[in-house]
Amino acid sequence: MRIIVTGKGGVGKTTIAAALCRVIGRQNQPVLALDADSNPNLAFSLGLSPELNSQISAVSPTPGEWRTDEKEHANVHLTPVIPQLKEQYGLAASDNVTLLAMGNADHVGVGCRCNAHADARGILGHLWQVNGSAIVADWKPG
C-alpha cells in the first residue's frame, strides 16, 4: 500500500498522514512514514516525545547520484538501498511505524527546501519497489 498525502498548506495533511500510519500499523502492517513536508512535524503527530524528536537524523542530501534517463528527466539513483536508509535514518515510532525525515528546518522562515523535496521524490520512486511495508508520505503543500 502506498499513500501520499498532499494538498494546500494548513488543511491537515500531517494529521491525516499520522492517523493513517497509526491505523495501518495497529493492524500489524509495518509502516514507513516519509516526512517530506516543508514544515516537518510528522514526528510530533506520531506521538514522538521532544527527546526522540531531537534524535531525528534527516536523510542526508541526495543519498545517491542524479542520473538522466532517455527523456532527459533527472532522477535520484540511490546508493544506499531502502533497508540501509531505514536503518541509518529511520526512527521507530509507536504502532509499528518507522519515520524517515527528508530534512529539518534549521530556523523559522528557512524557505524552500528544494533539495530535500527532490531527494524525497527520488526516494519515493524507489519505495514503490519495496515489499512488505505500507508507505505513507506526508508531502509538501501544492
Side-chain angles (χ1 to χ4, degrees):
M1 177 182 328
R2 311 295 188 251
I3 301 169
I4 299 174
V5 182
T6 189
K8 185 176 183 241
V11 298
K13 294 181 299 296
T14 300
T15 302
I16 291 168
L20 287 168
C21 287
R22 295 185 83 168
V23 166
I24 295 165
R26 288 176 184 168
Q27 296 175 4
N28 291 323
Q29 172 76 29
V31 178
L32 181 59
L34 182 66
D35 192 350
D37 196 343
S38 52
N39 186 15
N41 285 309
L42 188 55
F44 288 115
S45 296
L46 288 171
L48 292 174
S49 68
E51 294 80 26
L52 281 177
N53 205 346
S54 69
Q55 295 176 18
I56 293 174
S57 179
V59 174
S60 67
T62 313
E65 62 185 39
W66 285 95
R67 293 186 181 173
T68 306
D69 64 17
E70 64 278 351
K71 295 181 181 180
E72 299 297 316
H73 296 125
N75 297 295
V76 172
H77 176 77
L78 294 180
T79 303
V81 292
I82 298 299
Q84 290 171 329
L85 285 174
K86 281 175 64 174
E87 175 141 349
Q88 185 172 357
Y89 298 105
L91 186 61
S94 60
D95 298 319
N96 214 10
V97 177
T98 301
L99 174 67
L100 272 182
M102 294 311 305
N104 293 326
D106 296 333
H107 57 278
V108 174
V110 72
C112 180
R113 298 183 323 125
C114 297
N115 286 343
H117 295 145
D119 293 341
R121 282 192 307 273
I123 288 173
L124 197 58
H126 289 271
L127 288 175
W128 297 135
Q129 302 165 17
V130 173
N131 293 321
S133 291
I135 311 296
V136 177
D138 181 19
W139 211 249
K140 65 179 183 166

